[in-house]
Amino acid sequence: MPIEFDRVTYTYPCAQKPAVQELSLRIPPGRRCGLIGRNGCGKSTLLRLADGLFRPDRGKLYWQGKPLDYSRKSLRTLRQQVGLVFQDPEHQLVATTVEEDISYGLCNLGLPESEIADRVQRTLEDFDLLELANTPINHLSLGQKKRVAIADVMVLQPQLLLMDEPTAYLDPAQTRTLFSQLERIHAAGTTALIATHDLDFIYAWADWLMVMDCGRIVLEGPAEQVFDRHEELSALGLGLPLAVDLLIILEDNNVSVKTVRSQILKRLRCGGYRSFNEENSLRSV
Amino acid sequence: MPIEFDRVTYTYPCAQKPAVQELSLRIPPGRRCGLIGRNGCGKSTLLRLADGLFRPDRGKLYWQGKPLDYSRKSLRTLRQQVGLVFQDPEHQLVATTVEEDISYGLCNLGLPESEIADRVQRTLEDFDLLELANTPINHLSLGQKKRVAIADVMVLQPQLLLMDEPTAYLDPAQTRTLFSQLERIHAAGTTALIATHDLDFIYAWADWLMVMDCGRIVLEGPAEQVFDRHEELSALGLGLPLAVDLLIILEDNNVSVKTVRSQILKRLRCGGYRSFNEENSLRSV
Amino acid sequence: MKLNPRILQLVAMAALSLYLVVGVAPPAQAMHIMEGFLPVGWAVFWWIVSLPFFILGLRSLARIARENPELKLLLALAGAFSFVLSALKIPSVTGSCSHPTGTGLGAVLFGPSVMTVLGSLVLIFQAVLLAHGGLTTLGANVFSMAIVGPWVAYGVYRLFANSDKQKLAVFLAAALGGLVTYIVTSIQLALAFPAASGGFVAAFVKFAGIFALTQIPLAISEGLLTVLVWNWLQSY
Amino acid sequence: MHHQIDSLVYTNRLRHLPPEHKLSFAAVLFILGYGSAPWVQGAIALWLAVWIVGYAKIPAKIYARLLLLPLSFWLTSVPALLLGVTAASRWSAVQPDVMQGVVIGPVYLYLSVQGWQQASEVFARALTLTSCLYFILLTVPFVEILWVLRQLRCPSLMVELLALMYRFIFMLAETATDLVTAQRSRGGYLSWRVRLRSLGLVVSQLVVRTLDSYRQISLGLQSRNFTGELQVWHARRHKPSWRYSTEAVVGCLLLAIATGIYYAD
């Protein structure tokens, strides 16, 4: 059990109500965990709490069974083993060139220079950044910045990787690259937790899913089981991944491709996007 | 024919190669036009050219049949009739409160105060922003900011609405709201052009589709026809909307829902994200 | 009548100078003494004059940064902010555009010795990224823009701050800070190039006269803009 | 403009040379350029043009445009240097300094001989030294200047601040550009009054964004175990070149000899 939340409450300074409320959570080790929920439901706050950036008002965090005491030393150990990739890479990249930025975390650990050189070199290769090593950060495209941000964190070889909206700003091909990088990270034994709106991405990637609403975890379990709870997900304003939606259509009409096509389009136009809520309220009547 | 590009080339200052190259384009009036393409293919540049923000190196733009001469007067007319919503609302909203921000464009036109008050009021109602009218911009959520950004532009009653990545940063429920707003705008007779990566969104919304690659339009036509060109889209690194993908699976295996489910997952995991190109090259063998 | 061609010549020259001052030179640079403009003696002199101020400022910054390392981020952001401001073009009354230096606001917010360091770093970036100013003339530019400007702005602000006319204090700080910068630049040029007749004073009058055309309206615009931003900051 | 210089320098063909070599070469030329005869200064400017346009492959058009910058500052100052004014009654006293003169009412206005000398001296010197400056700007990336500053034991606070500022300048500049573009698309800069208002809005927004970035970036730094100092590591990938080193050393020697002869005369 790498990390555990025990009835954690956190309120931003000056905010009216808590961003995370009485939240209890265990992240299963070695899993691909997805965290979904609407904008503003507290996903980012949860990730920041898990990285020890905020201190809960009430409740406790445990890292590998030991409670986090927010001393400088324990924070240092925590952040060595937990890597957080921010939504906006601009806020994470601080050095001038790609190579320097990747080395930054290692230098903070006070490692010997030969080991820094070694690990930076290996990470540059792993993330296909060798050619960009000496490029200044500000000359990179957004997709490249995102890649550097992940490399920054992975060079520290964390046991738990937290990512906030990794697919925002990426085009389909870049998303594919990200997907294969995540597969590699998973194969190496790293536990990962991804917070996102991108239901299709999370449907394809996650094997454990948590759903947040208003600062709490409202659903949790193996991904397929969670996505089977159609009504609850719709009621939360999340809808379903398109693939799940399509399968429902298939089950409902076991007919020709042509019929399915028209059904899908109708679903996408009206159900999927426009009046999901209306439809929903009809259903529950 | 609201706007027309005639072999337009534009190179950013000091860039090695043009961002938009010998591009010819007509936007059919009254249509819902989608513009897709990979990051960096020139989509945003095209939108900025269409709004007269950049001046082409070669080639001409026509607005309602008349060539654009970039004089102050013609730019003023153009920008009154063409509205551009930027990708990041953070970079578009300039005033302190919602109301002030919506009035900004009207004040620039030098309209009489009574008309400004009138139009701002109506727009606040249309976009369901009445309650937020006096809220400072930096207290808004991202979805609200996006709504204000669209209202900012629609208050000028443009004939052509250009949008850059409208669904980025939005959660599924917010995307649904955006969709219904776009439907309303379309119903009022405004031509719209949306540039995005979100294939599922564009599949549901667009009726005319343009595909860009390396600064050129490489495919164009009614949306369904364009999405039928599977091989070409995959070769461009774009992939297909999930729904189209599913229909292909259905046509290939006319079998049980269970088989289809496992096919979709395989497709999402490997085909859809990881190794679409490999699979593709196998197919063409 | 014999003088006619000469008068014509002079009128033509005056017109030409006016054109050059108002039309050709981007006034953004008129504040910066360009690379190689000062004779070697004066270039070295201004370096020697400015260096102690810079080192003292850096020392006091280092002390603050040791206590609160994250302040470095804020300082770097403030520096980057004033660089970006200086690259924005503000409309000036004469029709030409130039830059607000933000020194006045910075001096009021951070204090003059911090502004000396930030201002010097901004000047380095202006030389390296925009080719405004230069390395040999850096000392002279630092003296006028990062030492005298902020100290005057700060002094003026403190003088008027108590008279519960904050806005006036801010306006005067920014405007006079800008104005004194331009006067010092003129002095520096006049010292380096005294006129054959009238020496330093005559040269000063000439340089000051030429730069006055663009710099006085600019100082006023900067004062107004700073007040706008100040108001806004207080409401935030 | 700053994007221009900064992106040019990363594609220049002399980038592989060690930054120390290029900087010391420029430093030697700075000293020679200050001390020597006008024709030696001319030679330096020409030689550097060969280095910049010929070897580093900076487009000639852009380099010429950059050279216009010092020229325009020079042109602005020329009237002040050239024009002399004195009381009409004293015109005979300044006669040795007069090229052309005219009496207008009580004053005597003239073109000064000394001013002309000063102006031409300054012209040659400014052109030469600006070429040296441009050689640095266009062939040594800013990051590498920072490496050299670190080696020279500049105060670490100063180097750190420079590095952070370099990163943030581009971040804020992008925000500012985007804001201005968005304003332009809503008719923001089409008249003088609207312009001033729009600009005030941009500056205010920029303050907010700056403070906001500060909060976010300090979280980002903390999550990466910020220790109070911004330490980084970089590999060295520079290769000294015999061909360029030889040309630089031989050329500088020749110029030094020429300067020596000039002073011996």
Short mmCIF file of all heavy atoms in Angstrom, two decimals, chain A residues 27-61:
data_model
loop_
_atom_site.label_atom_id
_atom_site.label_comp_id
_atom_site.label_asym_id
_atom_site.label_seq_id
_atom_site.Cartn_x
_atom_site.Cartn_y
_atom_site.Cartn_z
N ILE A 27 -4.30 3.56 -2.48
CA ILE A 27 -3.94 3.31 -3.87
C ILE A 27 -3.31 1.93 -3.95
O ILE A 27 -2.29 1.68 -3.35
CB ILE A 27 -3.00 4.40 -4.39
CG1 ILE A 27 -3.76 5.72 -4.40
CG2 ILE A 27 -2.49 4.07 -5.78
CD1 ILE A 27 -2.95 6.89 -4.80
N PRO A 28 -3.95 1.02 -4.69
CA PRO A 28 -3.42 -0.35 -4.75
C PRO A 28 -2.07 -0.36 -5.47
O PRO A 28 -1.93 0.28 -6.52
CB PRO A 28 -4.48 -1.11 -5.56
CG PRO A 28 -5.54 -0.14 -5.93
CD PRO A 28 -5.11 1.21 -5.55
N PRO A 29 -1.07 -1.04 -4.91
CA PRO A 29 0.26 -1.00 -5.51
C PRO A 29 0.30 -1.70 -6.86
O PRO A 29 -0.44 -2.66 -7.08
CB PRO A 29 1.13 -1.73 -4.48
CG PRO A 29 0.18 -2.59 -3.71
CD PRO A 29 -1.14 -1.90 -3.72
N GLY A 30 1.16 -1.20 -7.75
CA GLY A 30 1.38 -1.83 -9.05
C GLY A 30 0.24 -1.66 -10.03
O GLY A 30 0.28 -2.18 -11.14
N ARG A 31 -0.81 -0.91 -9.62
CA ARG A 31 -1.96 -0.80 -10.50
C ARG A 31 -1.85 0.41 -11.41
O ARG A 31 -1.04 1.32 -11.18
CB ARG A 31 -3.23 -0.62 -9.64
CG ARG A 31 -3.76 -1.91 -9.06
CD ARG A 31 -4.38 -2.75 -10.14
NE ARG A 31 -4.91 -3.99 -9.60
CZ ARG A 31 -6.19 -4.19 -9.30
NH1 ARG A 31 -7.04 -3.21 -9.47
NH2 ARG A 31 -6.60 -5.35 -8.85
N ARG A 32 -2.71 0.44 -12.44
CA ARG A 32 -2.92 1.64 -13.25
C ARG A 32 -4.21 2.26 -12.76
O ARG A 32 -5.28 1.80 -13.13
CB ARG A 32 -3.04 1.28 -14.72
CG ARG A 32 -1.75 0.79 -15.33
CD ARG A 32 -1.95 0.51 -16.79
NE ARG A 32 -2.63 -0.78 -16.93
CZ ARG A 32 -2.28 -1.71 -17.79
NH1 ARG A 32 -1.26 -1.49 -18.60
NH2 ARG A 32 -2.94 -2.83 -17.87
N CYS A 33 -4.10 3.30 -11.92
CA CYS A 33 -5.30 3.87 -11.32
C CYS A 33 -5.75 5.11 -12.08
O CYS A 33 -4.94 5.99 -12.35
CB CYS A 33 -5.06 4.28 -9.87
SG CYS A 33 -4.42 2.97 -8.88
N GLY A 34 -7.02 5.15 -12.36
CA GLY A 34 -7.58 6.34 -12.97
C GLY A 34 -8.40 7.10 -11.95
O GLY A 34 -9.02 6.50 -11.08
N LEU A 35 -8.39 8.43 -12.06
CA LEU A 35 -9.19 9.25 -11.16
C LEU A 35 -10.00 10.19 -12.04
O LEU A 35 -9.43 11.01 -12.75
CB LEU A 35 -8.27 10.04 -10.23
CG LEU A 35 -8.92 11.04 -9.27
CD1 LEU A 35 -9.78 10.32 -8.25
CD2 LEU A 35 -7.83 11.84 -8.54
N ILE A 36 -11.33 10.03 -12.06
CA ILE A 36 -12.12 10.91 -12.91
C ILE A 36 -13.09 11.72 -12.06
O ILE A 36 -13.34 11.41 -10.90
CB ILE A 36 -12.88 10.13 -14.02
CG1 ILE A 36 -13.82 9.09 -13.41
CG2 ILE A 36 -11.92 9.47 -14.97
CD1 ILE A 36 -14.70 8.38 -14.43
N GLY A 37 -13.62 12.75 -12.66
CA GLY A 37 -14.54 13.64 -11.96
C GLY A 37 -14.59 14.95 -12.71
O GLY A 37 -13.73 15.23 -13.54
N ARG A 38 -15.61 15.75 -12.41
CA ARG A 38 -15.80 17.00 -13.14
C ARG A 38 -14.73 18.03 -12.75
O ARG A 38 -14.06 17.89 -11.74
CB ARG A 38 -17.19 17.57 -12.84
CG ARG A 38 -18.28 16.62 -13.32
CD ARG A 38 -19.57 17.35 -13.42
NE ARG A 38 -19.39 18.59 -14.18
CZ ARG A 38 -20.37 19.45 -14.44
NH1 ARG A 38 -21.56 19.21 -13.99
NH2 ARG A 38 -20.13 20.53 -15.12
N ASN A 39 -14.59 19.07 -13.58
CA ASN A 39 -13.68 20.16 -13.22
C ASN A 39 -14.06 20.70 -11.86
O ASN A 39 -15.22 20.91 -11.57
CB ASN A 39 -13.81 21.31 -14.24
CG ASN A 39 -12.80 21.18 -15.36
OD1 ASN A 39 -11.75 20.57 -15.20
ND2 ASN A 39 -13.11 21.77 -16.50
N GLY A 40 -13.05 20.91 -11.01
CA GLY A 40 -13.33 21.52 -9.71
C GLY A 40 -13.81 20.54 -8.65
O GLY A 40 -14.23 20.96 -7.59
N CYS A 41 -13.73 19.23 -8.92
CA CYS A 41 -14.22 18.29 -7.93
C CYS A 41 -13.16 17.95 -6.90
O CYS A 41 -13.43 17.23 -5.94
CB CYS A 41 -14.73 17.01 -8.58
SG CYS A 41 -13.39 16.01 -9.23
N GLY A 42 -11.94 18.43 -7.10
CA GLY A 42 -10.90 18.20 -6.10
C GLY A 42 -9.80 17.24 -6.55
O GLY A 42 -8.96 16.87 -5.74
N LYS A 43 -9.81 16.86 -7.84
CA LYS A 43 -8.80 15.91 -8.32
C LYS A 43 -7.38 16.45 -8.11
O LYS A 43 -6.52 15.78 -7.54
CB LYS A 43 -8.99 15.65 -9.82
CG LYS A 43 -10.27 14.96 -10.21
CD LYS A 43 -10.22 14.43 -11.64
CE LYS A 43 -10.04 15.50 -12.70
NZ LYS A 43 -11.19 16.39 -12.87
N SER A 44 -7.15 17.69 -8.58
CA SER A 44 -5.80 18.24 -8.49
C SER A 44 -5.38 18.40 -7.04
O SER A 44 -4.22 18.16 -6.69
CB SER A 44 -5.72 19.60 -9.18
OG SER A 44 -6.10 19.49 -10.51
N THR A 45 -6.32 18.81 -6.19
CA THR A 45 -6.00 18.97 -4.77
C THR A 45 -5.56 17.63 -4.19
O THR A 45 -4.59 17.56 -3.43
CB THR A 45 -7.23 19.50 -4.02
OG1 THR A 45 -7.82 20.54 -4.78
CG2 THR A 45 -6.86 19.99 -2.65
N LEU A 46 -6.29 16.57 -4.56
CA LEU A 46 -5.93 15.24 -4.06
C LEU A 46 -4.49 14.90 -4.44
O LEU A 46 -3.70 14.45 -3.61
CB LEU A 46 -6.90 14.22 -4.63
CG LEU A 46 -6.79 12.79 -4.09
CD1 LEU A 46 -8.17 12.14 -4.09
CD2 LEU A 46 -5.83 11.94 -4.88
N LEU A 47 -4.13 15.15 -5.71
CA LEU A 47 -2.77 14.83 -6.15
C LEU A 47 -1.74 15.64 -5.37
O LEU A 47 -0.70 15.15 -4.98
CB LEU A 47 -2.60 15.11 -7.64
CG LEU A 47 -3.43 14.24 -8.60
CD1 LEU A 47 -3.04 14.53 -10.03
CD2 LEU A 47 -3.22 12.77 -8.30
N ARG A 48 -2.05 16.92 -5.13
CA ARG A 48 -1.11 17.76 -4.41
C ARG A 48 -0.96 17.33 -2.96
O ARG A 48 0.13 17.41 -2.38
CB ARG A 48 -1.52 19.22 -4.51
CG ARG A 48 -1.06 19.79 -5.83
CD ARG A 48 -1.83 20.94 -6.33
NE ARG A 48 -1.58 21.03 -7.77
CZ ARG A 48 -1.58 22.15 -8.43
NH1 ARG A 48 -1.85 23.28 -7.82
NH2 ARG A 48 -1.33 22.14 -9.72
N LEU A 49 -2.06 16.89 -2.38
CA LEU A 49 -1.98 16.36 -1.02
C LEU A 49 -1.10 15.12 -0.99
O LEU A 49 -0.27 14.95 -0.10
CB LEU A 49 -3.39 15.99 -0.52
CG LEU A 49 -4.25 17.15 -0.01
CD1 LEU A 49 -5.70 16.70 0.09
CD2 LEU A 49 -3.75 17.64 1.34
N ALA A 50 -1.27 14.26 -2.01
CA ALA A 50 -0.50 13.02 -2.05
C ALA A 50 0.99 13.28 -2.19
O ALA A 50 1.82 12.46 -1.83
CB ALA A 50 -0.99 12.14 -3.19
N ASP A 51 1.35 14.45 -2.74
CA ASP A 51 2.76 14.78 -2.90
C ASP A 51 3.26 15.62 -1.72
O ASP A 51 4.37 16.12 -1.71
CB ASP A 51 2.96 15.55 -4.21
CG ASP A 51 4.41 15.53 -4.67
OD1 ASP A 51 5.11 14.54 -4.35
OD2 ASP A 51 4.85 16.49 -5.31
N GLY A 52 2.41 15.78 -0.72
CA GLY A 52 2.83 16.52 0.47
C GLY A 52 2.95 18.02 0.24
O GLY A 52 3.61 18.72 1.00
N LEU A 53 2.33 18.54 -0.84
CA LEU A 53 2.45 19.98 -1.11
C LEU A 53 1.50 20.78 -0.22
O LEU A 53 1.77 21.92 0.10
CB LEU A 53 2.16 20.27 -2.58
CG LEU A 53 3.23 19.79 -3.54
CD1 LEU A 53 2.76 19.95 -4.98
CD2 LEU A 53 4.52 20.56 -3.34
N PHE A 54 0.36 20.18 0.12
CA PHE A 54 -0.57 20.82 1.05
C PHE A 54 -0.62 19.97 2.30
O PHE A 54 -0.43 18.74 2.24
CB PHE A 54 -1.98 20.90 0.46
CG PHE A 54 -2.08 21.71 -0.79
CD1 PHE A 54 -3.07 21.42 -1.72
CD2 PHE A 54 -1.20 22.75 -1.06
CE1 PHE A 54 -3.19 22.17 -2.89
CE2 PHE A 54 -1.31 23.48 -2.22
CZ PHE A 54 -2.31 23.19 -3.14
N ARG A 55 -0.89 20.59 3.40
CA ARG A 55 -1.02 19.86 4.66
C ARG A 55 -2.49 19.80 5.03
O ARG A 55 -3.14 20.84 5.10
CB ARG A 55 -0.23 20.61 5.72
CG ARG A 55 0.00 19.80 6.93
CD ARG A 55 0.86 20.54 7.91
NE ARG A 55 1.04 19.63 9.03
CZ ARG A 55 2.10 19.64 9.81
NH1 ARG A 55 3.06 20.51 9.63
NH2 ARG A 55 2.20 18.79 10.80
N PRO A 56 -3.05 18.62 5.24
CA PRO A 56 -4.50 18.53 5.50
C PRO A 56 -4.89 19.28 6.78
O PRO A 56 -4.11 19.36 7.72
CB PRO A 56 -4.76 17.04 5.65
CG PRO A 56 -3.44 16.37 5.69
CD PRO A 56 -2.42 17.31 5.21
N ASP A 57 -6.12 19.82 6.77
CA ASP A 57 -6.64 20.47 7.98
C ASP A 57 -6.96 19.40 9.03
O ASP A 57 -6.72 19.58 10.21
CB ASP A 57 -7.94 21.22 7.69
CG ASP A 57 -7.78 22.18 6.55
OD1 ASP A 57 -6.64 22.65 6.32
OD2 ASP A 57 -8.79 22.48 5.86
N ARG A 58 -7.57 18.33 8.56
CA ARG A 58 -7.89 17.21 9.43
C ARG A 58 -7.52 15.93 8.70
O ARG A 58 -7.44 15.92 7.47
CB ARG A 58 -9.39 17.20 9.75
CG ARG A 58 -9.81 18.17 10.84
CD ARG A 58 -11.20 17.83 11.38
NE ARG A 58 -12.20 17.80 10.32
CZ ARG A 58 -12.73 18.90 9.76
NH1 ARG A 58 -12.34 20.10 10.15
NH2 ARG A 58 -13.64 18.80 8.81
N GLY A 59 -7.36 14.83 9.46
CA GLY A 59 -7.07 13.55 8.83
C GLY A 59 -5.58 13.36 8.63
O GLY A 59 -4.78 14.26 8.88
N LYS A 60 -5.22 12.17 8.17
CA LYS A 60 -3.80 11.82 8.06
C LYS A 60 -3.50 11.16 6.74
O LYS A 60 -4.35 10.53 6.13
CB LYS A 60 -3.43 10.85 9.19
CG LYS A 60 -3.00 11.52 10.46
CD LYS A 60 -1.89 10.72 11.13
CE LYS A 60 -1.17 11.54 12.16
NZ LYS A 60 -1.64 11.28 13.51
N LEU A 61 -2.24 11.31 6.30
CA LEU A 61 -1.76 10.57 5.15
C LEU A 61 -0.73 9.56 5.64
O LEU A 61 0.07 9.87 6.54
CB LEU A 61 -1.07 11.50 4.17
CG LEU A 61 -1.93 12.01 3.03
CD1 LEU A 61 -2.62 13.27 3.48
CD2 LEU A 61 -1.08 12.25 1.81
#
